[in-house]
Amino acid sequence: DGGITQSPKYLFRKEGQNVTLSCEQNLNHDAMYWYRQDPGQGLRLIYYSQIVNDFQKGDIAEGYSVSREKKESFPLTVTSAQKNPTAFYLCASSSTQSTNEKLFFGSGTQLSVL
Amino acid sequence: GQQVMQIPQYQHVQEGEDFTTYCNSSTTLSNIQWYKQRPGGHPVFLIQLVKSGEVKKQKRLTFQFGEAKKNSSLHITATQTTDVGTYFCAGQRGAQKLVFGQGTRLTINP
């Protein structure tokens, strides 16, 4: 089945620790995105990538980093600089980054701070 | 920057009642999309509206795009328990990224 796979489903971070969230897609989509979801705040864009080896900051990129070494993969690292990392993280993809392209979402990773 | 406001934030209805959520943008949009997120799940695309004044239906769901392309609504007729979830609108202006509303969480009393 084609889709987007996020892992792990739950993740715990200790003080000062970097953690990496995995996102893999087999939809052959060019564009991939990371969103953060907090209760009552909708989805906020962290980073996005339109093509391999290229990515751009979204609205809340501080404290996060990404890489796009392969078309299929777009991992997100939550660094120790992100002081309030507890949230539900959603990875998404679309066939292109042009207008009118719908997003396909993964099942999400819930990150909590120990 | 572009903002998309969605109201109400929460809505509780009796099964069989109708439900409407509204989405308003501070700027004219090129298109608007609607997504549904079931409790504990991830957002799933429902529909996209592109034309001014456009109305689209999916069974009991009716989607509208305003004449000025700055607002949109989703109306569910005769809600069922399967309609429970959070409904998000997401607006796009030209080649800019999608901006999501805060979502409307729908709960239903069976």
Side-chain angles (χ1 to χ4, degrees):
Chain A
D1 282 341
I4 302 178
T5 302
Q6 286 188 245
S7 63
K9 190 173 177 65
Y10 301 96
L11 187 58
F12 297 91
R13 194 191 89 166
K14 294 180 180 179
E15 195 77 29
Q17 185 182 42
N18 293 353
V19 292
T20 298
L21 285 60
S22 170
C23 179
E24 303 277 335
Q25 56 101 357
N26 60 5
L27 299 168
N28 199 33
H29 283 172
D30 289 317
M32 297 187 74
Y33 313 79
W34 274 104
Y35 288 90
R36 171 177 171 144
Q37 185 174 28
D38 295 279
Q41 291 197 42
L43 281 69
R44 292 183 292 168
L45 184 63
I46 305 172
Y47 268 98
Y48 65 102
S49 169
Q50 301 177 60
I51 197 169
V52 174
N53 292 323
D54 186 48
F55 48 83
Q56 286 80 40
K57 293 182 179 179
D59 301 315
I60 55 165
E62 186 175 350
Y64 301 97
S65 67
V66 294
S67 63
R68 186 88 186 273
E69 297 177 1
K70 299 186 301 181
K71 186 176 184 177
E72 302 79 15
S73 179
F74 192 40
L76 173 74
T77 296
V78 184
T79 74
S80 57
Q82 174 48 247
K83 298 306 179 187
N84 184 24
T86 297
F88 190 53
Y89 290 86
L90 286 159
C91 179
S93 71
S94 65
S95 58
T96 69
Q97 218 265 326
S98 65
T99 57
N100 303 345
E101 292 295 334
K102 65 181 181 181
L103 299 180
F104 294 81
F105 285 88
S107 55
T109 293
Q110 176 64 51
L111 176 62
S112 303
V113 177
L114 289 175
Chain B
Q2 180 185 342
Q3 290 187 333
V4 175
M5 305 299 293
Q6 195 173 348
I7 57 170
Q9 188 173 359
Y10 303 98
Q11 184 78 57
H12 180 76
V13 300
Q14 289 289 129
E15 187 174 15
E17 291 182 339
D18 292 356
F19 159 78
T20 304
T21 174
Y22 300 91
C23 190
N24 292 287
S25 170
S26 56
T27 58
T28 301
L29 301 170
S30 56
N31 70 86
I32 195 158
Q33 299 178 8
W34 285 91
Y35 292 80
K36 176 183 178 181
Q37 184 176 23
R38 294 181 185 273
H42 58 277
V44 174
F45 175 83
L46 293 176
I47 208 160
Q48 178 174 261
L49 305 170
V50 178
K51 299 177 183 177
S52 169
E54 189 170 15
V55 178
K56 287 188 176 181
K57 292 189 176 184
Q58 289 180 349
K59 297 183 180 179
R60 295 177 293 102
L61 278 61
T62 301
F63 304 84
Q64 295 190 356
F65 201 9
E67 293 289 340
K69 300 183 74 173
K70 296 178 73 173
N71 57 72
S72 181
S73 65
L74 159 58
H75 179 81
I76 302 179
T77 304
T79 55
Q80 299 175 0
T81 54
T82 53
D83 296 324
V84 165
T86 301
Y87 292 85
F88 292 97
C89 63
Q92 190 169 25
R93 186 182 181 193
Q96 295 181 13
K97 304 172 296 298
L98 276 175
V99 176
F100 281 82
Q102 302 95 319
T104 296
R105 183 181 171 191
L106 173 64
T107 55
I108 298 174
N109 201 24

